[in-house]
Amino acid sequence: MTPSDQPVDQLITAADEVKIRQRLVRVALGHEPADTKLRVDKLLDVHSRMWLSDQEIIIAGRRIAYIGPAGSYPGTVARTVDEPDLMAVPGFGEVHKHIESSHVTPEWEAALVLPHGNTWTCEASHEFSNVDGPNNLAFWLAARLAGSPQKIFPLPGSAVPPTAYEWGGGHFGYDEQLGFMAESLMVAGLDEVMDWPAVWNPDNPSYDRLWGMIEATFEKRGVVEGHAAGIRDLPAISAFAAAGLASDHEAWTTDEVLDKLRRGLFMELRPHSLTDIVAGLLKAGLRDWSQFALTTDDRSCSETLKIGATDHNVRLAIAAGLEPEIAIQMVTINPARHMRLTPWVGAIAPGRFADVVLLDDLENVSISKVWADGAVVADAGTYLPDVPKIDWPDWATQSINIGRDLTAADFAIPAEPGRETMTAALLRPFHWDDDFIEMKLPVKDGHVQRDADRNVTKFAIVDRFSGKGKTAAMFWLGTGPKTPDTALASSLGHDKHNIWVVGSSDAAMAQAVNALRDIQGGWALVREGQLVATVRYEVGGLMTCRPPRELDAEMQALYAEGEKVEWMYEPTFSPRWFPGFPERLAFATLTCAPWRWVLVAPSARAANGFVNVATGETHPVVW
């Protein structure tokens, strides 16, 4: 069989695997010529954490057929590439990442992160799943089919919808999960199970749906990823592990990590806490790091352009005191083993994709070149291949379905006749209390009013799926603009991704949402009655099909206009809630544990959108 006869293995299928590996056997034995020999100064064997000197990597097609000391390969090769001054480590992998949070489509994400060594990603896809569940798998496989060298292993979202009190572009249960896992070997399992009350409480309306997805994942021997935010007592941690939820990426402290590790959870450390956690674990005497990975989770393309991708995570771990070889294991073999992907990624070894990161400085994780699929794809930080042109279909680019113009009346909160004040239920960003906040607010012209002097503004969720633009509005504390007639809106609202809008006037809120509808998602800033900045996320309302630097330029323009606004601020329980432009409001719409009271688009179980997702209790927003 000649190389031209080989199956084109953009996607992994059992039939193609047999043909590919039949050739690899012959190439490894020298019975058939190889395509490329890559010779390096040193090679990190991540299985033993040992460096091997003067090694050759023999490549056939997109895969590795043989590795060994230079000159040991018994066969012939079509070409030889010598890198006598560089160290080879496996392509870096993401155990848990939302590519949607880069805000560029997968083919552009590859161009963004491959120069940083990130050759494969386990895509935590509940973001796009919630926008268009039926087309979720087709979306995540499209870039690879079009020729992108990055491997994406999708995990369909468990949080579709995030809770039983939400609805929209997808609804996943046993049948859907079984179908996804049967359709492609690229599907690695079930994305982070976030709705903890629906796991432990049989009375929760999502109980059967969620356990159905877990059952389907077990049936296909996939991995059930976890999300154990706020789960810190030992009975709850034990229950979480007993449910079969295999991992957690939400731990914040060393003690919490150790408690979860000792109960069998695979720990995925995020950048904002990994430095303290790694230092703490080293101080505690941890010796076995095989149950750990470094994970990005969410990172915008603007931030990636500044600090890097997976390589940044590795540098943080090394700076915290971890040996470089262990840190590299935590983005290669460890996540590959956890996600059961070792036949294809995680090591420089026969049978795996020929994904190699060539370093010129180990301690600083300085990347000289990156190979993927047996070819150089990045040199000195520059992405080399052409980015595939994908004409995304209407189901991806026409996802903001608001069939009318919104007006100020859609955001008004009526008062009871004759009242001068009314009591309002207030939330604030990252409000994880059992109870909401109460405050008396003034009434004017028959409507309950904001109170900027007390840091009270209005926040709303607008349904983007039904075409009716159903709106839920209430008052929030310590966020949003004080500047008059100003509003900020976004279609990036984890995890349901309805539109959220916060504003100092109802008219400005309507204007911002209408602007988002017109550009099919992204960001819109209205300042003093004028639309001053938009950022376009025309794919799913989450991403754009454009170069990362072009998107970053739009974001920088938005930030610049945002600096001209006076923003309210009040600390919350989250240390990641900052003063200034309230970008993290995109995460303040989460409804998973440890959130209790939340605002969602009006639904059958929450007519005004204000609901306690842990108990199902609803409440008026004013009374």
Side-chain angles (χ1 to χ4, degrees):
M1 187 181 290
T2 65
S4 61
D5 297 325
Q6 297 306 306
V8 181
D9 58 329
Q10 285 103 329
L11 304 185
I12 298 169
T13 70
D16 280 354
E17 279 298 299
V18 169
K19 296 174 185 177
I20 292 163
R21 291 173 187 274
Q22 285 172 339
R23 183 193 178 204
L24 292 175
V25 169
R26 292 190 292 275
V27 172
L29 293 171
H31 297 167
E32 187 174 319
D35 298 320
T36 304
K37 174 168 68 177
L38 172 61
R39 184 172 175 179
V40 297
D41 176 42
K42 291 195 297 183
L43 183 152
L44 179 61
D45 171 30
V46 291
H47 304 100
S48 63
R49 210 192 317 150
M50 297 174 66
W51 287 99
L52 308 176
S53 298
D54 197 11
Q55 296 290 297
E56 59 188 14
I57 304 165
I58 306 302
I59 300 169
R62 300 170 189 262
R63 307 288 185 95
I64 297 170
Y66 174 96
I67 62 166
S72 66
Y73 176 58
T76 61
V77 295
R79 67 166 184 149
T80 297
V81 178
D82 285 321
E83 297 289 3
D85 301 318
L86 299 179
M87 298 166 278
V89 300
F92 299 157
E94 289 278 6
V95 70
H96 173 81
K97 184 178 182 182
H98 305 280
I99 289 175
E100 300 96 321
S101 289
S102 73
H103 311 309
V104 290
T105 47
E107 70 275 26
W108 287 106
E109 159 84 0
L112 176 66
V113 302
L114 272 163
H116 296 279
N118 180 196
T119 63
W120 60 278
T121 294
C122 289
E123 159 58 32
S125 72
H126 69 239
E127 316 298 357
F128 194 84
S129 297
N130 270 298
V131 170
D132 190 334
N135 290 301
N136 184 56
L137 188 55
F139 181 82
W140 292 113
L141 299 183
R144 185 70 173 158
L145 282 170
S148 174
Q150 188 184 42
K151 274 64 73 178
I152 296 176
F153 299 95
L155 282 80
S158 68
V160 185
T163 67
Y165 312 99
E166 298 163 273
W167 53 276
H171 189 280
F172 289 175
Y174 172 86
D175 291 339
E176 290 80 8
Q177 179 68 4
L178 196 65
F180 284 130
M181 298 207 69
E183 186 172 341
S184 175
L185 290 178
M186 301 288 283
V187 178
L190 180 61
D191 185 20
E192 53 183 319
V193 175
M194 305 172 69
D195 192 359
W196 176 236
V199 174
W200 70 262
N201 184 2
D203 295 327
N204 188 289
S206 286
Y207 184 82
D208 290 338
R209 181 192 71 79
L210 202 48
W211 277 102
M213 295 194 80
I214 294 171
E215 179 183 350
T217 309
F218 286 161
E219 192 170 326
K220 292 296 182 180
R221 296 188 62 78
V223 181
V224 180
E225 287 285 272
H227 174 112
I231 298 175
R232 294 184 181 141
D233 61 285
L234 296 187
I237 295 172
S238 295
F240 189 90
L245 313 184
S247 66
D248 181 38
H249 57 270
E250 291 287 337
W252 285 77
T253 68
T254 301
D255 287 344
E256 182 183 354
V257 167
L258 287 171
D259 283 340
K260 291 175 175 177
L261 179 71
R262 288 164 179 158
R263 281 142 194 93
L265 297 184
F266 185 82
M267 300 307 301
E268 301 166 358
L269 306 182
R270 296 186 294 184
H272 54 79
S273 54
L274 79 81
T275 300
D276 290 342
I277 289 173
V278 167
L281 292 171
L282 288 169
K283 184 177 180 180
L286 183 72
R287 299 178 63 185
D288 184 353
W289 292 84
S290 59
Q291 277 287 100
F292 287 86
L294 308 176
T295 183
T296 297
D297 197 359
D298 297 282
R299 184 176 297 158
S300 70
C301 80
S302 294
E303 190 176 8
T304 301
L305 288 168
K306 290 179 184 177
I307 66 175
T310 316
D311 56 330
H312 171 72
N313 306 344
V314 176
R315 281 191 286 272
L316 287 178
I318 294 171
L322 207 57
E323 294 176 32
E325 294 82 1
I326 295 176
I328 290 170
Q329 284 180 313
M330 291 166 70
V331 296
T332 57
I333 192 64
N334 289 9
R337 282 174 174 158
H338 172 67
M339 298 304 298
R340 304 173 190 172
L341 297 173
T342 51
W344 303 288
V345 294
I348 300 174
R352 281 69 169 178
F353 283 99
D355 295 352
V356 180
V357 177
L358 295 174
L359 303 175
D360 53 35
D361 183 333
L362 177 62
E363 292 288 336
N364 293 309
V365 197
S366 175
I367 297 173
S368 176
K369 297 177 183 177
V370 178
W371 288 58
D373 288 349
V376 180
V377 297
D379 188 351
T382 299
Y383 185 67
L384 301 178
D386 292 334
V387 176
K389 178 173 172 50
I390 300 176
D391 293 322
W392 292 102
D394 286 351
W395 53 256
T397 60
Q398 299 295 315
S399 69
I400 306 294
N401 182 18
I402 300 176
R404 62 187 181 88
D405 282 336
L406 296 184
T407 69
D410 289 297
F411 301 97
I413 298 177
E416 293 176 0
R419 297 283 294 271
E420 294 184 357
T421 65
M422 290 195 71
T423 304
L426 271 68
L427 296 178
R428 57 181 176 174
F430 306 96
H431 184 77
W432 297 331
D433 284 0
D434 289 331
D435 298 317
F436 49 78
I437 303 163
E438 295 184 18
M439 188 180 293
K440 285 194 178 299
L441 294 178
V443 172
K444 181 180 179 181
D445 298 328
H447 295 98
V448 187
Q449 303 295 308
R450 302 163 176 81
D451 191 339
D453 291 339
R454 289 188 288 170
N455 255 8
V456 176
T457 189
K458 192 176 286 184
F459 187 91
I461 301 290
V462 181
D463 139 47
R464 58 174 273 196
F465 297 106
S466 72
K468 299 178 181 178
K470 303 175 188 177
T471 300
M474 66 179 299
F475 296 99
W476 274 33
L477 181 66
T479 189
K482 277 191 176 179
T483 304
D485 293 316
T486 297
L488 177 67
S490 180
S491 57
L492 180 70
H494 296 269
D495 289 304
K496 187 63 248 171
H497 298 293
N498 278 305
I499 290 172
W500 60 263
V501 59
V502 62
S504 57
S505 78
D506 296 346
M509 294 171 77
Q511 186 179 357
V513 174
N514 289 335
L516 281 187
R517 177 205 58 199
D518 293 344
I519 63 173
Q520 278 298 303
W523 293 86
L525 176 62
V526 171
R527 189 180 66 247
E528 297 179 289
Q530 299 296 316
L531 180 65
V532 295
T534 59
V535 177
R536 177 167 54 89
Y537 296 162
E538 79 283 357
V539 177
L542 305 172
M543 295 162 277
T544 186
C545 184
R546 290 181 288 164
R549 291 195 182 279
E550 185 176 325
L551 171 59
D552 179 56
E554 272 192 8
M555 288 300 301
Q556 298 309 318
L558 173 68
Y559 295 147
E561 293 295 338
E563 288 178 359
K564 302 173 186 177
V565 174
E566 182 182 2
W567 299 102
M568 297 179 183
Y569 176 73
E570 186 166 309
T572 73
F573 292 108
S574 172
R576 300 178 69 203
W577 175 245
F578 313 110
F581 182 79
E583 186 167 4
R584 280 193 61 79
L585 279 178
F587 292 91
T589 57
L590 283 160
T591 55
C592 59
W595 270 262
R596 281 85 151 180
W597 285 99
V598 301
L599 187 68
V600 300
S603 70
R605 289 192 171 99
N608 67 357
F610 188 47
V611 60
N612 186 319
V613 290
T615 65
E617 182 185 358
T618 61
H619 199 280
V621 296
V622 293
W623 64 97

